[in-house]
């Protein structure tokens, strides 16, 4: 791993991860994981640094933090905890309110052609506001582009995107978020609220799912 351009941790294509037996894994997932890819402690440390970067860049004005459900909820909660800690311990603070939207673009481990936007009926309150979208992972970028296009209709003053993960994939549209935790290879990862058909959200680490796990939870 190394720190690349854009203040993110880039994980190389040949990164093999770690043996799950070296970590605390829920027993019901032990046989479903190939490798631990990003341990929970590293996620938390990187999230804390992202909170500092976001506060520095967006501080000075009230922001609306928009969580993309369901996968973004854990990153969202931890990121806000770190921002709130900074607010308590610094001379300047970042006033925040929160809102939620849900997008659906996966079936099994494949993106679907149509991205479904669920919710957003009250997004008119974003007019004239500074908005921070918090997402778990950006892969092709199509889902985020759809959300950004949707938000344009409500005329916010500014919109920034913070994503825990950015996937390097030939399917990418070229879109890159403003704040990124980790740039990862083209692997399907689960854990830390990222799911495979709603499973693995209760796993602390970000892991690569095994073929046995794919078949076990396939719909």
């Amino acid at each position: 791993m190394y720190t690349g351009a854009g203040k993110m941790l880039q994980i190389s294509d040949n990164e093999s991860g770690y043996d799950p037996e070296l970590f605390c894994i829920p027993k019901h997932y032990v046989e479903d994981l190939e490798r631990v890819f990003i341990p929970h402690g590293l996620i938390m440390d990187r999230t804390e640094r992202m909170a500092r970067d976001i506060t520095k860049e967006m501080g000075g004005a009230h922001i609306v933090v928009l969580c993309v459900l369901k996968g973004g909820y854990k990153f969202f909660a931890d990121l806000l905890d770190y921002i709130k800690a900074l607010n308590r311990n610094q001379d300047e603070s970042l006033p925040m309110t929160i809102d939620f939207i849900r997008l659906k673009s996966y079936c099994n481990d494949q993106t679907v052609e149509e991205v479904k936007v669920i919710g957003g009926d009250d997004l008119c309150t974003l007019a004239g506001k500074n908005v921070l979208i918090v997402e778990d992972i950006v892969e092709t970028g199509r889902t985020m582009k759809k959300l950004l296009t949707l938000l344009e209709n409500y005329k916010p003053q500014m919109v920034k995107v913070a994503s825990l993960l950015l996937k390097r994939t030939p399917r990418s549209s070229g879109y890159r978020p403003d704040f990124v935790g980790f740039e990862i290879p083209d692997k399907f990862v689960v854990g830390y609220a990222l799911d495979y058909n709603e499973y693995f959200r209760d796993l602390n680490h970000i892991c690569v799912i095994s073929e046995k796990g794919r078949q076990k939870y396939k719909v």
Side-chain angles (χ1 to χ4, degrees), residues 118-181:
I118 304 169
D121 293 337
D122 298 321
L123 293 181
C124 58
T125 60
L126 299 180
K129 301 290 180 61
N130 294 323
V131 180
L132 175 67
I133 300 171
V134 178
E135 174 69 289
D136 56 351
I137 184 169
V138 170
E139 184 177 2
T140 66
R142 190 179 69 247
T143 301
M144 187 53 63
K145 281 186 172 181
K146 183 176 180 66
L147 177 55
L148 292 172
T149 299
L150 172 67
L151 293 186
E152 285 179 4
N153 298 326
Y154 298 94
K155 303 187 184 305
Q157 179 173 319
M158 177 179 67
V159 179
K160 298 283 187 179
V161 178
S163 181
L164 177 63
L165 304 177
L166 173 65
K167 185 177 289 190
R168 288 191 303 275
T169 170
R171 301 183 301 280
S172 172
S173 64
Y175 170 78
R176 300 180 73 86
D178 302 281
F179 306 97
V180 176

Side-chain angles (χ1 to χ4, degrees), residues 3 16 43 47 92 106 126 204:
T3 303
S16 60
I43 297 169
T47 301
E92 295 184 0
Y106 268 97
L126 299 180
N204 281 340

